[in-house]
Amino acid sequence: MLLIYPPVAKPGEPPTGIAQLAGTLKAHGKQCVVLDANIEGFHYLIERTRTPEDTWSKRAERHLNKNRDALQDLSLFSNQDRYQRVVRDLNRVVEQSALQPGLTLSLVNYQDQKNSPLRSSDLRAAAAAYEQNIYFPYFKQRLEQLFAQQPFTHVGFSLTYLSQANTTFAMIGFVRATFPDVTIIVGGGLVTSWLSQPGWKNPFADLVDHWITGRGEMPLLKLLNTEHTTASPPDYTDLPLADYLSPGTIIPYAASSGCYWNKCSFCPEVAEGNQYHHMPPNQIAADLHYLQQQHSPVLFHFLDNALSPALLKILIAQPTGIPWYGFARVAPYLADPEYCKQLRQSGCVMLKLGLESGNQQVLNTMRKGITLEMVSQTLRCLEQAGIATYVYLLFGTPSESLQEARETLKFTAQHHSAITFLNLAIFNMPIFGLDAQAVKVDDFYEGDLSLYCNFRHPRGWNRKDIRSFLDKEFKRHPDIAPIVHRDPPFFSSNHAPFFHPSFHQPTSCSSTGKLSAQ
C-alpha cells in the first residue's frame, strides 16, 4: 500500500495520519510506503526556475537557501523580527511559484478560483484535468517512480484540510487514469467531516473506492481483511525528517480522538457526532518511549483535542525528557500552582487554551464548562510555572455582541503578561451544529461540500463589524498589540514553543529520568 499526504499543509513537521497507518500496517505484516507529497511538493516548488521582477521577490529569491536553512536553526527563534522576515521571504518564493491565473499559493494554503474545495463538481474537474495542477510535474514523476519500484495494489490519501483537496483529487485523477487497477482509499479529518453530514451522498463513486472516517487503523485493517491484534506507535522512519522547516525533529502524537468534554455548542466535533476514544496509559507510555528512542525529537506535539487528565498524569509521573506541548481544557487542576510546576518539570513548554470569550454569560451559552475566575487563576499559575500559553478567542457567536467582545478585550488586556500568544477567530456556524437550531440560517450555501452556513446574527454582530473591531480596536490595544505581533506567521502554534524561554531552560527531568516503557 502507498500512503500519501498531499499538498498543501504546514511544512514544519511530519504528518501523523499516514505515520500511524504505516505503523499499524507494518505491525500486522503488511507492506507499505509513505509519501509526504506536501513537504516534497514544497521543495519542488521553491526549486522551480523563476524570474522575479519586484525588489521583494528578488531579495527572497537571492536568500532562498539561506532562509530555508535558517528555519532549521534554533538561533533564528531568538530574534522575532528576523524570524518573521525569513518566513515571509520564503512564503514570497512560494507565492511567485504560482504562475497559473487564478491560483494563490502560500506556505499553508492553496486557493484556485476555478475549483472550489466546497463543490464536488469542482473537485471532479480537478481530477479530470490533473495535468493542470501546479504540482503535476512533481507527482507524475514521483508516483511513476514509486510504482516502477513496487507493484502497489492500494493507494491511500490522507485528506485533512481544505487546502489539500484540489491537489488530492488531481492526484486521484492521475492514479485512476494511469493505474486503473489500483484500489483508491481516502480518509482524514476533512473526509470525516464530509461523511458525518446528515444526508451525505457520495459524488466521487467512480474516483474513490473506499472512504474511511475517524482514526483509520482498524477500518483500514478490516478493509484489508486483517484482524486488528497489535497496538503500535506511529512509524516516522520512512519520512524525510531532516527536510521539515523546524529547528529539529518534531514528533506529533495523538493519544485520543474526539474530545473528552464534547459539549461546546460551537464545536464541529459535537455537530459531527464524533465519539471520544483514548488509548490505554501503558500503550501511551510505551509509544512515547519508542518514539523518543527512535528519533530523539526536540519536541513532542500532542494532537489531542484536549489533553486528558489521565494523559497529563502519565507525563508528570513518567516524564519523557523531551519538551512537549498540546491543547488543554481550563480545569481546576490547572489552577493549582504546584500542579503547574509539576507540568513544567515534566517538560511542558506550552499549553493551548480555548478561552473563546471574556464574558461569563457567553461562556455559559457556549457550554464551555469554565469560569473566568478559573481561567484567570490558570493563566497566572502557568505564568508562574514558566509555561507559555497560546490562547484561542472566538468572536461572533450568537450570544455575543460588541459589548461582550469588549469585555473579552478587557479580560485579555488584564492578563496580557500571562498570555504568550493569541489566536483570534471569527465564528463559523456548523451546518448541523447546536447553535444552528436556535438562529435563522440563510438558504445560501457556497457548495454541496460546505461544512458551515451563513446565519443572521440575533444581535446584529455581523462579520464586517467583527473584523473592524478586531483590526481597529482589539489588535491596537497597547497591551495586546505585542502579543499579536509575537505570533509566528504561517506556522503559528507549531513554531510558537521555540520562542519561549522555557524551551531553552532545563527541567528537573534529566536524561536518567526519561519515560519508561514499563
Side-chain angles (χ1 to χ4, degrees):
M1 185 170 188
L2 175 61
L3 298 167
I4 302 174
Y5 188 67
V8 173
K10 293 179 185 178
E13 61 189 45
T16 194
I18 59 173
Q20 184 64 62
L21 293 175
T24 300
L25 289 175
K26 291 179 181 180
H28 288 78
K30 300 293 183 181
Q31 294 184 346
C32 69
V33 172
V34 292
L35 171 63
D36 186 352
N38 178 56
I39 191 64
E40 291 189 8
F42 162 76
H43 289 290
Y44 158 77
L45 276 186
I46 65 173
E47 290 163 6
R48 288 174 48 151
T49 301
R50 288 168 295 274
T51 307
E53 298 180 356
D54 62 283
T55 302
W56 181 13
S57 298
K58 290 178 180 178
R59 183 190 73 192
E61 191 74 32
R62 187 168 61 251
H63 296 296
L64 170 59
N65 291 329
K66 179 181 177 182
N67 288 338
R68 178 168 43 176
D69 293 343
L71 276 172
Q72 297 181 323
D73 186 339
L74 188 58
S75 65
L76 175 67
F77 295 77
S78 63
N79 187 321
Q80 178 73 36
D81 291 336
R82 180 168 173 256
Y83 169 87
Q84 295 214 12
R85 184 173 66 252
V86 164
V87 172
R88 295 188 192 282
D89 278 4
L90 198 57
N91 185 70
R92 182 66 175 178
V93 174
V94 175
E95 288 179 338
Q96 294 300 299
S97 299
L99 303 178
Q100 300 176 8
L103 178 62
T104 302
L105 274 182
S106 77
L107 283 166
V108 298
N109 204 7
Y110 179 114
Q111 288 185 308
D112 189 341
Q113 293 181 0
K114 295 183 299 181
N115 294 327
S116 168
L118 303 179
R119 287 192 288 267
S120 60
S121 59
D122 286 4
L123 293 181
R124 292 184 60 84
Y130 55 81
E131 304 98 330
Q132 297 179 16
N133 187 277
I134 194 168
Y135 294 99
F136 171 68
Y138 154 71
F139 68 68
K140 176 182 185 295
Q141 180 183 25
R142 191 72 169 99
L143 292 177
E144 287 178 344
Q145 176 193 49
L146 289 169
F147 270 85
Q149 295 171 352
Q150 298 194 44
F152 296 107
T153 58
H154 297 74
V155 174
F157 291 90
S158 178
L159 176 51
T160 301
Y161 305 109
L162 286 172
S163 56
Q164 295 176 295
N166 269 289
T167 302
T168 297
F169 276 86
M171 296 180 79
I172 288 173
F174 173 76
V175 171
R176 182 59 78 204
T178 312
F179 310 102
D181 295 331
V182 166
T183 298
I184 295 177
I185 306 168
V186 185
L190 183 58
V191 168
T192 298
S193 295
W194 282 348
L195 272 66
S196 298
Q197 303 301 303
W200 158 260
K201 296 180 180 179
N202 181 13
F204 308 113
D206 56 329
L207 295 173
V208 177
D209 296 298
H210 301 283
W211 301 94
I212 289 181
T213 63
R215 290 192 72 128
E217 302 95 297
M218 292 182 66
L220 182 57
L221 289 175
K222 183 178 180 180
L223 186 62
L224 299 175
N225 297 315
T226 302
E227 184 179 355
H228 187 275
T229 59
T230 305
S232 59
D235 186 339
Y236 294 102
T237 54
D238 295 331
L239 289 165
L241 297 181
D243 291 348
Y244 295 96
L245 302 184
S246 293
T249 298
I250 302 173
I251 292 297
Y253 181 83
S256 65
S257 60
C259 176
Y260 74 87
W261 176 249
N262 204 35
K263 295 178 182 178
C264 297
S265 63
F266 60 88
C267 182
E269 295 282 351
V270 177
E272 295 168 11
N274 296 329
Q275 299 298 309
Y276 177 66
H277 299 283
H278 62 87
M279 291 187 294
N282 288 345
Q283 181 185 341
I284 296 171
D287 286 355
L288 294 176
H289 175 75
Y290 167 81
L291 293 169
Q292 170 198 331
Q293 296 295 318
Q294 191 79 15
H295 303 294
S296 300
V298 299
L299 188 66
F300 275 124
H301 174 195
F302 289 99
L303 303 173
D304 305 57
N305 283 317
L307 299 168
S308 70
L311 174 56
L312 294 175
K313 183 177 180 180
I314 293 171
L315 293 171
I316 290 174
Q318 302 184 64
T320 66
I322 304 297
W324 61 268
Y325 79 102
F327 238 118
R329 270 187 54 78
V330 172
Y333 48 83
L334 288 182
D336 178 353
E338 182 59 31
Y339 185 88
C340 290
K341 182 180 179 181
Q342 292 174 7
L343 279 181
R344 177 69 194 100
Q345 291 172 344
S346 77
C348 179
V349 293
M350 186 177 81
L351 288 180
K352 300 196 286 182
L353 304 171
L355 167 57
E356 321 307 353
S357 175
N359 175 271
Q360 188 61 57
Q361 185 56 46
V362 171
L363 292 177
N364 294 344
T365 304
M366 287 180 176
R367 307 201 308 182
K368 284 288 294 183
I370 60 177
T371 66
L372 289 175
E373 181 180 359
M374 187 190 304
V375 174
S376 180
Q377 183 65 19
T378 293
L379 289 172
R380 300 200 186 285
C381 287
L382 292 173
E383 180 185 21
Q384 292 169 8
I387 297 174
T389 58
Y390 202 109
V391 175
Y392 287 68
L393 298 176
L394 184 61
F395 295 90
T397 56
S399 59
E400 183 190 63
S401 70
L402 177 59
Q403 176 183 344
E404 288 78 17
R406 283 181 172 150
E407 290 183 30
T408 299
L409 186 158
K410 181 180 179 181
F411 184 90
T412 305
Q414 288 173 340
H415 296 82
H416 71 275
S417 67
I419 298 175
T420 321
F421 303 96
L422 275 171
N423 179 287
L424 310 177
I426 299 179
F427 174 68
N428 288 314
M429 177 75 75
I431 292 178
F432 296 101
L434 297 177
D435 287 334
Q437 303 170 16
V439 299
K440 292 184 178 180
V441 176
D442 289 345
D443 293 332
F444 172 76
Y445 300 93
E446 188 170 346
D448 60 317
L449 298 178
S450 294
L451 303 175
Y452 302 96
C453 59
N454 294 327
F455 73 101
R456 301 175 190 177
H457 198 286
R459 305 185 66 181
W461 186 221
N462 60 57
R463 299 178 77 86
K464 181 180 178 181
D465 291 338
I466 297 170
R467 290 192 182 96
S468 178
F469 163 75
L470 290 175
D471 292 338
K472 297 179 180 179
E473 193 169 339
F474 191 96
K475 294 179 182 179
R476 296 188 183 187
H477 189 284
D479 289 329
I480 296 176
I483 306 176
V484 174
H485 176 73
R486 197 181 296 142
D487 189 57
F490 301 105
F491 291 93
S492 58
S493 62
N494 295 69
H495 275 177
F498 298 118
F499 287 97
H500 198 255
S502 63
F503 183 80
H504 308 273
Q505 297 168 351
T507 65
S508 62
C509 60
S510 65
S511 59
T512 58
K514 290 181 180 178
L515 188 76
S516 166
Q518 301 303 315

